[in-house]
Amino acid sequence: MLNSLLNKEWLRRKRKTAPAVAPVTRAASFSLVFILVLVCLPLAPLLPAGTWVLVSLVVGWRLILLRARGAHPGKLIRTLLVVVALALVLLHYGTLLGLEAGATTLVSAYTLKLLEMRSRRDALVLSFMGFFVVVTGLLFSQSIAMTGYLLVCLVALVSVLVGLHQPGTQTDIGPALRTGLLLSAQALPLMVILFVLVPRIPPLWAVPHPDNSARTGLSDEMAPGDIARLSQSGELAFRATFTGEVPPPEQRYWRAVVMYWFDGRRWSQGDQKDWQKVGVAEEELISWYPQKPAWAPEQSSANVDYRYDIILEPSGRPWLPVLGPVNTAVQGTGLTRDWRLLSRDNVDLLRQYSMPSSGFQGMDAELPTWLKAASLQLPATGNARARQWAEELASQYGSNTPALVSVVLRHFREQDYYYTLRPPTLSGNTIDAFLFDTRRGFCAHYAGALTFILRAAGIPSRVVAGYQGGEVKEGGVVQVRQFDAHAWVEYWQAGYGWQRVDPTAAVAPERVEQGLEQAVAEEGSFLEGNLFSPVRYRHIDWVNTLRLQYEQLEYQWQRLVLSYDEDAQKDLFKDLFPGKDTLTVLLQLLVITVLLVMVISLIWVTRPWQQKLAPADRYYQQFCQRMKRKGLPRHPGEGPEDYALRIKRERPEWGQKAQEVTELYIRLAYANQEPQSHEATLQQLKRLACI
Amino acid sequence: MTLTDQVLSGLSQAISGKPQQLRLALCCLLARGHLLIEDVPGMGKTTLAHALARVTGLDWRRVQFTSDLLPADILGVSIFERTSSTFRFQPGPVFTQLLLADEINRATPRTQSALLEAMEEGQVSVEGESRRLPEPFFVIATRNPVNQSGTFPLPESQLDRFLMRIELGYPDPASERAMLSGQTGRTVLSSLPVLMDDQQLRTLQQQVDQVQASERLLDYLQRLVAATREGDRFVCGLSPRAALALLGAARAWAFLAGRDYVLPEDVQAVFPAVAGHRLQSRAGGSVASLLAEVDVTGSA
């Protein structure tokens, strides 16, 4: 009976001390607004313009509310805002789900919750949503800069949670920030351990990949000027790491796309319809791993020239650039009839693969008729002057294909043809216009024109697009950027097979040997539309050093962290613990680590080497620490009551609190107290002393 | 207003301007200790003792110590009674509830020790026979620090028997004026109310014993005592008896403040009075600096 009465009393007190609806302090609200902006920034490029307006509007509203003006939105307005937010997402993406639409919906919900926030509970929900949005950012970029940024967001979120759990009207965010930093720092080693040790099993549910279709990169069509647009981008395309010798620039032609079909203006890979015209089915165009393609010769490892690993940036396309022709596929890829590597899915995340490569000579000594037909395809009419010239050449050289080709190349070299990033616009008979009138062009112009002439002269040929060159770094790494995109020509010679010929090299050999920047140095058009690209400033020493170091860091990040997948984990632990089952080893290590961490934290928390303080003394000393930071330290010989009196005398505004804390402490430390009220008093002291 | 507060206000009618000393004196009485007042003559020592006896309802006697005072003059003596032809014990002035021993350091060590046994044991031995002293038994002794000629200094071991030593000091002008105009002082003694009897005093003393001293407080008290023993502040540290006295005095002080538990501040309040006469300072050591340096809440 007595017990239950006491319990009730205790409950009553407890209720009295912890009010049900705790308001959110201004400091916490400001922090939450700030964090919302911080966290949503990485997702900003995704947001439709309407959502942008909505987010800014809501943040503005919240700021006005924080200045104690304006009114909280009513139920009607809130409902309206939700409907508008959802409608905006639907209008832009056509769905609420999916990766981009989902992220936008999440951002909208997060923002609207901010507007709705009134109680501490809302604030807690808001910060938890913040964690969710932070993780979403990683789906779109995993660069080291983004990871660092998101870590900062995490620390801010943890700090705001710490702040929300401190009662009272604390305005100084310093202590909360310190605690948040400390907590995050403590979690860091655990994060690393879990990253390394948690078994990476193939996902049961695949995260949808971001839509990379709008990225700059190669496309499966080429009109004159297309690649010139690409040349304005300093974005990384891929990194290749060679084991052993790095091939010289004139050998570094990375093949990605082969184009057969010309409609008078555009070159393209061709779709099913195009290929049906020459009567060929898909199986003859591509063979998926592990099938052995019928057209591939037996692989001999003797004539491998170079071995390399590639880490490909997300391109949103299936092409895997490779050096020269390949004759074997790897897992998840297919080998095309024209000796390229194709990924089964679009490359939406970083992709790593390794390839041996051999020189490009002598593939397809015999040409199937359908391929020959495709390689000779031309529109029925148009470009009459070019055709005429081709026929003249054909009659002059007959079947001496190399001589014919070299005549055309000599023509490019000796006549006043120019290599330029600012070619004039062409219309109508584009080949004629380029060859005989403007004579200014980029690689796409030259490659297209050469292929046209060769085909018109009866020589099977095709346009190949990909990358050429790249920047050689330490350790056999070649970095290839979008502006290294290039187009060249392959022609077929009976008995010899396909031969590579690069008409651009005839016009501007420095493009091939030294890269785009040198080739257009006089013109000054290198990355002209891209003021902020660090690559543009690589002639400035310190910018270049910084850039190189950052790239090195990013490369290591990709190599060591981002490509640590199931296979990498298996390999690592196979090396460390040979002959054991990786999963068992991982689980054992995990259990050991968890136990170790628990023991260490237990020791850290209890600190047996230190004189143990009772909780009451600990809280009281925290209080004394706080007062000390405010310039009123307790003298060692000063009793708690004297100290409280002195605080009251010197700083009357803190007197009330000092008195409360002191009373509670005295009750706990010196007075004879019934045990059941002890705990309640302790909690009260803890709350008061921690403010 | 509690009984003790009434006593204090009663006392302050006789001795004004000395609340701290009055409180210490009452505290000493409640802690069952004896009080040594060190001051020049005429500072109100006797008035204090008298007033204390009056308001507490104790009977009291006064002995003026001189160099020719003998133990029997204090303890009493057996005299032959002719009518009954037997020796009958004639109790000395020590058989009282409150004894004012004036200028105790003027008596010979032999006489001093006779009193000191009474103070410590609560009994006296006369002619081989132990006799209990009344309860409560409270001694207020005075000592003259200035007039040193013809005195026998009290050794430390005997000073240890006194719970507290206080100094009254000169009164402030207002109090002195009140005394001169007859509002306070000896003249009002007879009109002081009797506020309790010895039974009530005993009850109060028992209540003081019930005052709680927590582990933390005992830690602090022990730190204080240990600090007097360590280092070179003092020639000799506090004895265990002094530690016990300190605790008792602190309890009484807390009780006077209306609390049933002791705070470090209580210990600090009584510490100079309790420890001052037991400690002989070396250069740089003082009770005040000790109190300032020993941490109140720190770990032991």
Side-chain angles (χ1 to χ4, degrees), chain A residues 145-366:
Chain A
M146 178 61 107
T147 313
Y149 180 82
L150 293 182
L151 276 181
V152 170
C153 290
L154 277 186
V155 172
L157 274 167
V158 172
S159 306
V160 97
L161 267 184
V162 171
L164 283 173
H165 282 95
Q166 287 177 341
T169 52
Q170 181 86 355
T171 50
D172 183 14
I173 56 166
L177 204 59
R178 266 195 296 276
T179 315
L181 257 174
L182 192 73
L183 283 175
S184 311
Q186 282 168 344
L188 209 63
L190 204 64
M191 183 180 95
V192 173
I193 289 169
L194 292 181
F195 178 79
V196 176
L197 286 188
V198 167
R200 278 155 196 265
I201 41 176
L204 299 172
W205 169 79
V207 180
H209 294 154
D211 179 8
N212 280 315
S213 49
R215 272 177 178 262
T216 42
L218 294 172
S219 85
D220 57 357
E221 291 191 326
M222 185 186 78
D226 274 359
I227 290 183
R229 210 174 311 124
L230 257 187
S231 72
Q232 294 297 339
S233 165
E235 257 182 67
L236 191 69
F238 60 89
R239 283 192 183 87
T241 312
F242 286 88
T243 41
E245 201 191 340
V246 179
E250 62 269 20
Q251 296 275 328
R252 292 203 298 269
Y253 281 86
W254 309 92
R255 300 170 83 236
V257 189
V258 174
M259 298 173 207
Y260 293 92
W261 304 94
F262 186 57
D263 66 355
R265 177 171 177 79
R266 299 190 153 271
W267 292 88
S268 74
Q269 275 209 118
D271 52 21
Q272 232 173 344
K273 252 195 290 173
D274 292 323
W275 289 107
Q276 270 163 4
K277 273 190 265 177
V278 290
V280 68
E282 207 207 323
E283 302 84 67
E284 287 180 78
L285 285 173
I286 185 158
S287 139
W288 295 105
Y289 183 85
Q291 266 177 354
K292 202 89 184 110
W295 59 86
E298 276 309 305
Q299 191 179 5
S300 68
S301 55
N303 56 11
V304 166
D305 294 342
Y306 305 108
R307 286 180 185 280
Y308 55 92
D309 264 335
I310 283 187
I311 300 178
L312 181 66
E313 294 286 314
S315 62
R317 304 296 189 151
W319 310 309
L320 304 175
V322 282
L323 201 61
V326 289
N327 52 16
T328 175
V330 292
Q331 192 163 12
T333 67
L335 181 69
T336 64
R337 183 65 185 80
D338 38 32
W339 321 103
R340 289 173 301 128
L341 209 54
L342 214 56
S343 168
R344 211 174 253 284
D345 310 303
N346 286 348
V347 180
D348 287 323
L349 299 170
L350 277 181
R351 177 74 175 259
Q352 190 171 18
Y353 54 96
S354 53
M355 272 289 137
S357 110
S358 48
F360 188 82
Q361 296 300 331
M363 294 294 206
D364 284 325
E366 298 292 322

Side-chain angles (χ1 to χ4, degrees), chain B residues 208-239:
Chain B
V208 166
D209 292 340
Q210 303 298 315
V211 170
Q212 157 105 3
S214 69
E215 294 294 319
R216 278 183 198 74
L217 184 98
L218 295 179
D219 285 344
Y220 173 55
L221 196 140
Q222 278 190 296
R223 276 201 298 277
L224 269 181
V225 172
T228 64
R229 298 170 187 163
E230 292 157 3
D232 51 359
R233 285 192 183 90
F234 305 105
V235 175
C236 183
L238 289 176
S239 64

Side-chain angles (χ1 to χ4, degrees), chain A residues 335-413:
Chain A
L335 181 69
T336 64
R337 183 65 185 80
D338 38 32
W339 321 103
R340 289 173 301 128
L341 209 54
L342 214 56
S343 168
R344 211 174 253 284
D345 310 303
N346 286 348
V347 180
D348 287 323
L349 299 170
L350 277 181
R351 177 74 175 259
Q352 190 171 18
Y353 54 96
S354 53
M355 272 289 137
S357 110
S358 48
F360 188 82
Q361 296 300 331
M363 294 294 206
D364 284 325
E366 298 292 322
L367 209 56
T369 43
W370 61 266
L371 189 52
K372 194 165 188 170
S375 306
L376 284 170
Q377 177 270 342
L378 280 181
T381 54
N383 296 308
R385 281 193 283 173
R387 281 176 205 261
Q388 196 194 337
W389 185 38
E391 275 154 29
E392 280 168 23
L393 288 171
S395 63
Q396 198 172 343
Y397 294 97
S399 59
N400 189 355
T401 313
L404 193 152
V405 170
S406 63
V407 165
V408 180
L409 291 184
R410 198 167 62 232
H411 177 77
F412 282 148
R413 188 160 48 237

Side-chain angles (χ1 to χ4, degrees), chain B residues 156-229:
Chain B
E156 281 85 11
S157 62
Q158 299 200 342
L159 280 173
D160 206 21
R161 309 275 163 92
F162 287 97
L163 178 61
M164 292 186 188
R165 183 202 59 177
I166 60 173
E167 290 162 16
L168 280 178
Y170 294 107
D172 59 274
S175 310
E176 198 161 22
R177 172 60 65 92
M179 192 190 73
L180 292 173
S181 57
Q183 287 157 15
T184 65
R186 207 172 284 238
T187 47
V188 300
L189 275 181
S190 53
S191 62
L192 282 183
V194 177
L195 292 167
M196 58 168 124
D197 55 23
D198 53 350
Q199 188 55 48
Q200 276 173 307
L201 179 61
R202 266 199 291 275
T203 314
L204 288 180
Q205 284 176 337
Q206 278 159 15
Q207 285 176 357
V208 166
D209 292 340
Q210 303 298 315
V211 170
Q212 157 105 3
S214 69
E215 294 294 319
R216 278 183 198 74
L217 184 98
L218 295 179
D219 285 344
Y220 173 55
L221 196 140
Q222 278 190 296
R223 276 201 298 277
L224 269 181
V225 172
T228 64
R229 298 170 187 163

Side-chain angles (χ1 to χ4, degrees), chain A residues 668-680:
Chain A
L668 286 167
Y670 298 108
N672 196 8
Q673 226 192 2
E674 328 81 82
Q676 59 265 31
S677 65
H678 184 89
E679 191 53 35

Side-chain angles (χ1 to χ4, degrees), chain A residues 611-617 620-621 634-643 665-672, chain B residues 212-217 220 259-266 268 290-300:
Chain A
Q611 184 70 38
K612 250 183 268 173
L613 279 181
D617 293 288
Y620 183 67
Q621 292 203 339
R634 188 179 67 81
H635 307 314
E638 200 169 27
E641 208 159 52
D642 287 347
Y643 183 41
Y665 173 62
I666 285 175
R667 253 158 72 191
L668 286 167
Y670 298 108
N672 196 8
Chain B
Q212 157 105 3
S214 69
E215 294 294 319
R216 278 183 198 74
L217 184 98
Y220 173 55
R259 273 186 270 107
D260 62 351
Y261 52 87
V262 187
L263 285 185
E265 282 87 343
D266 301 324
Q268 292 174 342
L290 181 80
L291 280 179
E293 280 164 29
V294 176
D295 195 354
V296 173
T297 57
S299 44

